[in-house]
Amino acid sequence: MRNYWALLPAIAVCVVLIAIYAVPTLINPQWTSNVLNMFKQPQSGETEESTRLGAQQIQSRRLLAGALIIGALALIGFNVSLNREANGCYIAAKAWGAADDKSQTSDPCIHMIYGAFMSDGKGEINEKTPHEVAAYQLVRGHKPKYLKWIQHAPAYEETDLLIGVVGTCSLDVKVVQEETRILVVYDSEEACLPGNDISILPVKLKKPLGDRKLVTVDNKPMREINPDMDSWWKVLGKLATGG
């Protein structure tokens, strides 16, 4: 589990402290009141009976304890959400071929993967010897959730197909939709070199994919990948176990 939030230990301490106070208070507010009274200097004329809580005090303390527990759950949910987002973007970027770089992995949803800014894959192939594009991802049924978190994210309703390449190479990717196949190439004299960031090119198909194959140079089949974010429960389990 790649933990991108340095405040996780502080969150854990806060949750434990809240639980120590709030759980007994919900069960019986008088218990926590008695414990706290042990640390107070007794006032003259104060008896055990006078320190007992009234019905309104019991209700207000239970409400406070409930609010604290809700706050603790919110802190846990916030941490899980941050880790789920960061790990989802990291997993997707690695699946597309991004290389690890400490300056990038600190915030992968910003630095490692993003939607293409100035490319749509349209146009004719100009080079006589274009280069291969390795992988694609279909956007159908289960739509990849990591797209919601990246910069310049493509809209689901406008995307049927995703092509991912190193960021500087996206301008030269060409997607030619033919009757029997979809051809995807890197239309440049030089091959696209590996990098630590990935640009995602969204493609809207003119007609349903059907049984058409996605191929690249020399009619070589492309590799289908399907990266996505882990579920909340899986991320929570990894945080709890350090996995």
Side-chain angles (χ1 to χ4, degrees):
M1 177 69 178
R2 300 178 61 87
N3 182 11
Y4 293 96
W5 202 25
L7 293 180
L8 179 59
I11 293 296
V13 170
C14 289
V15 170
V16 170
L17 291 176
I18 289 172
I20 289 173
Y21 171 78
V23 173
T25 301
L26 279 176
I27 298 171
N28 187 346
Q30 189 64 51
W31 292 348
T32 49
S33 179
N34 291 343
V35 172
L36 293 174
N37 285 337
M38 292 172 60
F39 299 95
K40 291 173 58 179
Q41 290 291 335
Q43 303 296 319
S44 60
E46 188 176 53
T47 64
E48 181 180 345
E49 190 67 28
S50 64
T51 61
R52 294 194 65 81
L53 301 176
Q56 188 173 357
Q57 289 175 307
I58 289 175
Q59 183 180 10
S60 62
R61 293 199 179 194
R62 278 181 169 154
L63 288 173
L64 174 61
L68 289 173
I69 289 177
I70 291 173
L73 293 175
L75 285 174
I76 294 172
F78 183 54
N79 188 42
V80 171
S81 179
L82 286 178
N83 279 275
R84 183 171 181 255
E85 169 192 339
N87 279 275
C89 292
Y90 176 80
I91 291 169
K94 289 290 290 182
W96 284 111
D100 275 329
D101 183 323
K102 290 183 178 179
S103 66
Q104 305 288 87
T105 56
S106 59
D107 195 345
C109 293
I110 299 295
H111 303 300
M112 287 188 73
I113 187 167
Y114 44 84
F117 287 91
M118 300 177 63
S119 178
D120 58 9
K122 296 178 181 178
E124 297 181 356
I125 299 173
N126 297 314
E127 296 295 331
K128 292 183 178 180
T129 54
H131 297 274
E132 293 182 3
V133 175
Y136 70 93
Q137 183 175 15
L138 294 176
V139 180
R140 60 184 180 189
H142 177 69
K143 298 176 180 177
K145 296 180 180 64
Y146 73 87
L147 293 180
K148 294 181 179 180
W149 300 96
I150 67 175
Q151 293 187 85
H152 199 243
Y156 287 131
E157 61 273 12
E158 299 174 2
T159 306
D160 298 310
L161 175 68
L162 298 172
I163 305 296
V165 292
V166 173
T168 55
C169 300
S170 62
L171 287 173
D172 292 312
V173 173
K174 298 290 177 62
V175 181
V176 182
Q177 302 186 40
E178 301 177 354
E179 288 296 319
T180 57
R181 65 175 187 170
I182 296 176
L183 176 64
V184 184
V185 300
Y186 176 56
D187 192 25
S188 175
E189 291 183 3
E190 301 294 331
C192 183
L193 299 177
N196 52 22
D197 63 325
I198 295 295
S199 181
I200 299 294
L201 180 70
V203 178
K204 182 69 175 177
L205 297 179
K206 297 176 182 177
K207 67 176 186 177
L209 179 63
D211 55 1
R212 289 183 295 170
K213 302 295 183 182
L214 279 98
V215 299
T216 186
V217 176
D218 295 329
N219 215 36
K220 179 181 177 181
M222 296 176 67
R223 174 170 51 91
E224 182 178 1
I225 61 174
N226 192 32
D228 203 358
M229 300 168 67
D230 287 336
S231 69
W232 272 66
W233 292 112
K234 189 172 183 179
V235 174
L236 186 60
K238 287 182 178 180
L239 286 173
T241 60

